[in-house]
Amino acid sequence: MYPFTQQRTVFATLVKNIDNRLIIALYGLRRTGKTVLLKQVMNALVNLGVPRTDILFFSFDEEQPRLKELFNAAEKLGQKPKYVFLDEIQKLQNWQNQIKFYYDHTSLKLFISGSSSLFIKRKVRESLAGRIFDFYLPPLSFKEYIYFKGRQELVTKSKLLVEEIKTEFELYVNKQFVETLPQNKEFVAEYTRSIIEKVVYIDIPQVFSIANEGLLLRLLKIIALNPGGIIEFDNLSKELGVDRNTISNYLFYLEEAFLIRKVYNFSSNRLTSERKLKKYYLNSTSFFSYLNPNVERSKVMENLFAIETGAKYFWRTHAKDEVDFVIEENNKLIPLEVKYTRTITSKDVRSLAKFCREFKVKEGDLVTIGEEETRKVLWNGWEATIHQTPMWKWLLGR
């Protein structure tokens, strides 16, 4: 049996789909636990009574036999696998077509993953559309962080342990990878450096034609200096002495590799949104440990909620009214403002009130490090309710 018993949230969904005909693919950032998840699903199969001879696991990390050779070797050892788990699949040449063949011509249940997540993601889109059920595995959420630290009581008894939760929340912001949980800040910085540099110097060049890996790292550091800043391609082109299209392409590569995320300026016309200004954030606040350890805490928190909400939009007007994020949930718009402060003034909620009036929204969210509160706001005859929630509590409720 595989010894790691703590499970990511997505584990339950994977188990529910064990007998779903579709291929299961895990993709995401390096070191988020994809291999561990595969082995935990294998444990679940054994616990369900599936014979071990029906389960085959193989990692292509050191050797890359063709799938036909792999299955022939398994058969000689007395295995007749029905469930096949293939790790580091990107290292197998022409893997997507081999997988496609066995999906189309056998009844095998196939699970695939790999640390070069960008490569898997692109190949899945290109060759396996309609045959695959893919799962993005992000760094740890706050709730997962608490469970992996063995502090479940902070969730079940949150009202009694608020101060302890606040302490863990501040630690979590810098520790979103399992291996970093018991470690100091120097370890976290080195650990995240290794992840970033492997993606920049190995993963991305495997997929895209890269003439200047150093530019990828420089763009990351520029974003880390001002997360949530609006990047003007023309200005950046002049500053770096690099063609505008190159900057646009390299930012796209970083986004595809799950190192950064992009947020569009909101408009009721989605096509208009995509042509407007864009903000960029790091895809894990742990990355600041390496890229910019002295970043303002308020900026880190804004970045954190860009990740945790999965928001695609912010809102900014020509008059400089701005709401940090616009979340689309259950056919509703939810404006969200992030304030790393305990005291909230009427000025702090003005933009939320204006957004609610502009788009006929009745409720908005405000996350702070202060106390929970509900307030009514009025703008040009439009009344809305703003729910003020401590950051930690908002994240635990996700």
Side-chain angles (χ1 to χ4, degrees):
M1 297 289 286
Y2 196 60
F4 296 103
T5 57
Q6 291 174 306
Q7 299 160 349
R8 297 295 304 270
T9 302
V10 73
F11 172 77
T13 304
L14 295 181
V15 172
K16 286 180 183 177
N17 285 278
I18 279 178
D19 291 318
N20 185 317
R21 178 72 182 100
L22 295 177
I23 302 162
I24 299 293
L26 292 174
Y27 68 92
L29 199 56
R30 280 179 176 264
R31 307 303 300 168
T32 50
K34 295 179 287 294
T35 302
V36 171
L37 263 174
L38 288 186
K39 293 186 176 182
Q40 288 176 329
V41 174
M42 291 166 58
N43 272 1
L45 284 168
V46 172
N47 290 337
L48 288 170
V50 175
R52 292 178 185 271
T53 53
D54 287 358
I55 303 170
L56 175 64
F57 175 88
F58 188 83
S59 173
F60 293 92
D61 195 28
E62 295 184 4
E63 296 182 54
Q64 296 82 40
R66 291 183 60 81
L67 292 185
K68 183 177 181 180
E69 297 169 359
L70 177 63
F71 295 140
N72 285 342
E75 190 172 346
K76 288 179 181 178
L77 294 173
Q79 281 190 281
K80 295 181 179 179
K82 296 178 181 177
Y83 299 90
V84 178
F85 296 79
L86 303 172
D87 195 27
E88 300 289 355
I89 188 70
Q90 81 285 345
K91 295 187 178 182
L92 175 63
Q93 187 175 10
N94 196 31
W95 68 265
Q96 70 277 13
N97 287 327
Q98 293 188 57
I99 289 287
K100 182 179 176 181
F101 173 84
Y102 280 96
Y103 175 84
D104 289 345
H105 295 92
T106 74
S107 60
L108 291 176
K109 175 64 179 182
L110 298 162
F111 297 79
I112 62 173
S113 73
S115 58
S116 188
S117 312
L118 175 65
F119 191 72
I120 287 181
K121 183 182 175 187
R122 288 181 64 81
K123 294 301 182 183
V124 162
R125 283 200 302 243
E126 292 167 5
S127 302
L128 296 171
R131 297 174 173 85
I132 202 158
F133 197 3
D134 58 312
F135 295 88
Y136 170 60
L137 190 63
L140 295 174
S141 68
F142 183 42
K143 189 178 291 185
E144 287 177 319
Y145 163 90
I146 286 175
Y147 278 100
F148 271 80
K149 287 199 76 173
R151 300 297 310 276
Q152 291 87 335
E153 74 278 6
L154 297 183
V155 176
T156 57
K157 300 178 181 178
S158 58
K159 292 182 180 180
L160 301 176
L161 301 169
V162 172
E163 292 307 314
E164 291 184 55
I165 295 173
K166 289 179 181 178
T167 299
E168 290 294 349
F169 173 69
E170 292 291 338
L171 293 172
Y172 159 72
V173 172
N174 297 320
K175 295 185 175 185
Q176 296 170 347
F177 296 88
V178 174
E179 289 91 341
T180 66
L181 299 192
Q183 304 295 341
N184 59 30
K185 62 181 181 180
E186 289 78 15
F187 179 93
V188 175
E190 180 61 23
Y191 186 86
T192 54
R193 181 198 64 79
S194 70
I195 293 174
I196 289 168
E197 292 189 354
K198 283 177 182 176
V199 175
V200 165
Y201 295 117
I202 298 174
D203 294 352
I204 293 178
Q206 282 181 343
V207 182
F208 299 108
S209 178
I210 300 294
N212 185 357
E213 292 101 335
L215 178 60
L216 289 169
L217 193 57
R218 191 168 182 188
L219 288 171
L220 274 174
K221 290 183 176 181
I222 287 171
I223 293 170
L225 284 173
N226 185 27
I230 292 173
I231 290 185
E232 300 277 5
F233 287 8
D234 290 332
N235 293 341
L236 196 56
S237 173
K238 292 176 184 177
E239 179 185 337
L240 298 178
V242 178
D243 177 75
R244 183 188 190 280
N245 288 335
T246 299
I247 289 174
S248 178
N249 289 338
Y250 277 39
L251 286 170
F252 171 75
Y253 303 157
L254 290 170
E255 187 179 7
E256 286 286 285
F258 309 111
L259 290 179
I260 64 173
R261 62 175 289 109
K262 176 172 59 184
V263 184
Y264 296 98
N265 195 4
F266 180 80
S267 169
S268 53
N269 183 325
R270 298 300 186 268
L271 291 177
T272 301
S273 291
E274 294 203 9
R275 291 195 293 267
K276 286 187 173 184
L277 301 174
K278 304 170 186 68
K279 290 184 175 185
Y280 287 86
Y281 296 92
L282 300 181
N283 217 16
S284 169
T285 50
S286 292
F287 291 163
F288 287 110
S289 298
Y290 165 55
L291 295 171
N292 183 15
N294 298 316
V295 64
E296 291 179 19
R297 200 62 170 173
S298 60
K299 286 289 187 180
V300 175
M301 294 303 175
E302 180 184 334
N303 198 131
L304 177 67
F305 277 82
I307 301 163
E308 295 284 346
T309 62
K312 295 180 180 179
Y313 304 102
F314 68 99
W315 182 64
R316 187 181 189 186
T317 69
H318 293 297
K320 306 300 183 185
D321 295 311
E322 187 167 340
V323 173
D324 289 328
F325 304 108
V326 179
I327 305 167
E328 296 180 298
E329 206 167 78
N330 300 322
N331 296 318
K332 289 174 58 180
L333 294 178
I334 303 172
L336 172 70
E337 187 71 10
V338 181
K339 296 289 185 185
Y340 191 65
T341 182
R342 296 183 185 281
T343 305
I344 297 298
T345 67
S346 58
K347 183 179 179 182
D348 292 324
V349 297
R350 189 177 301 158
S351 289
L352 280 170
K354 289 183 178 182
F355 179 92
C356 291
R357 172 67 180 83
E358 176 74 17
F359 296 100
K360 302 297 186 289
V361 173
K362 285 289 187 179
E363 296 179 297
D365 283 353
L366 174 66
V367 292
T368 75
I369 55 172
E371 299 302 315
E372 193 165 7
E373 185 179 339
T374 298
R375 62 180 76 212
K376 299 288 185 180
V377 295
L378 187 68
W379 189 264
N380 286 351
W382 184 265
E383 185 179 75
T385 301
I386 304 301
H387 303 284
Q388 180 179 318
T389 310
M391 292 179 176
W392 64 265
K393 187 170 185 179
W394 197 95
L395 293 179
L396 285 185
R398 298 294 286 174

